[in-house]
Amino acid sequence: MPGILEKPPASADEYACWLPRHRRSGSAARRLLREFLTGWPDGERYVQAAESVLTELVNNAVQHARTPHGRLVMIRFELRPGQLRVEVHDAGDAVPTPRTAGAEDEGGRGLRLVEQLSTGWGCHPRAGGVGKVVWATVGPAGGDAR
């Protein structure tokens, strides 16, 4: 997998970087999220839900975004009081829609999982750019302290 392109943070409470559209980018994103949260008191309270949400969003961008070859995916984290915002930017225009998966279906549950693990999620066009941003907010396990 090609390397990660880090983007300078706008503030100490956030982190962003570009990843290749590759099947291993989900694991790279989880590692970066854990590193980001390690620097914060109580950061570990966000890890479990945020890792699952981030993995689903990255995998959706890698598998389903219809983009030209060579486009990257950007991940962004922002820690706010009582919540962690996770974003995945891709060059595709299609808005993700939760599906209803049948008992025998192998896929189609990812966005339902995001709905269950997050306090909110959505999608909007990228400001000044091509594609979209899919975001989710995750609260800390066991309460709402930072």
Side-chain angles (χ1 to χ4, degrees), residues 7-23:
K7 187 177 174 193
S11 72
D13 294 349
E14 68 179 83
Y15 173 82
C17 75
W18 293 93
L19 299 172
R21 286 187 64 231
H22 190 277
R23 62 181 172 79

Side-chain angles (χ1 to χ4, degrees), residues 3 5 18-21 68 70-74 89-91:
L5 304 172
W18 293 93
L19 299 172
R21 286 187 64 231
R71 292 287 185 159
L72 300 174
V73 172
M74 183 172 66
H89 300 231
D90 68 57

Side-chain angles (χ1 to χ4, degrees), residues 5-126:
L5 304 172
E6 293 197 34
K7 187 177 174 193
S11 72
D13 294 349
E14 68 179 83
Y15 173 82
C17 75
W18 293 93
L19 299 172
R21 286 187 64 231
H22 190 277
R23 62 181 172 79
R24 292 189 301 207
S25 288
S27 62
R30 285 191 304 275
R31 179 180 51 78
L32 293 166
L33 176 66
R34 284 190 302 273
E35 288 173 6
F36 172 75
L37 290 173
T38 297
W40 292 98
D42 294 331
E44 72 279 352
R45 294 176 65 196
Y46 295 91
V47 171
Q48 188 172 9
E51 279 187 335
S52 295
V53 167
L54 178 63
T55 300
E56 289 300 329
L57 298 183
V58 169
N59 287 344
N60 280 350
V62 168
Q63 294 174 5
H64 302 297
R66 302 291 176 234
T67 63
H69 182 69
R71 292 287 185 159
L72 300 174
V73 172
M74 183 172 66
I75 59 171
R76 182 177 173 276
F77 318 129
E78 183 180 1
L79 195 56
R80 301 173 178 174
Q83 72 177 11
L84 172 68
R85 181 178 171 101
V86 174
E87 297 179 0
V88 177
H89 300 231
D90 68 57
D93 292 327
V95 175
T97 307
R99 298 186 323 194
T100 301
E104 300 300 317
D105 291 340
E106 293 296 322
R109 293 173 180 81
L111 289 177
R112 297 287 181 204
L113 179 66
V114 169
E115 286 177 340
Q116 294 296 311
L117 294 175
S118 65
T119 58
W121 77 277
C123 178
H124 59 80
R126 290 188 66 212

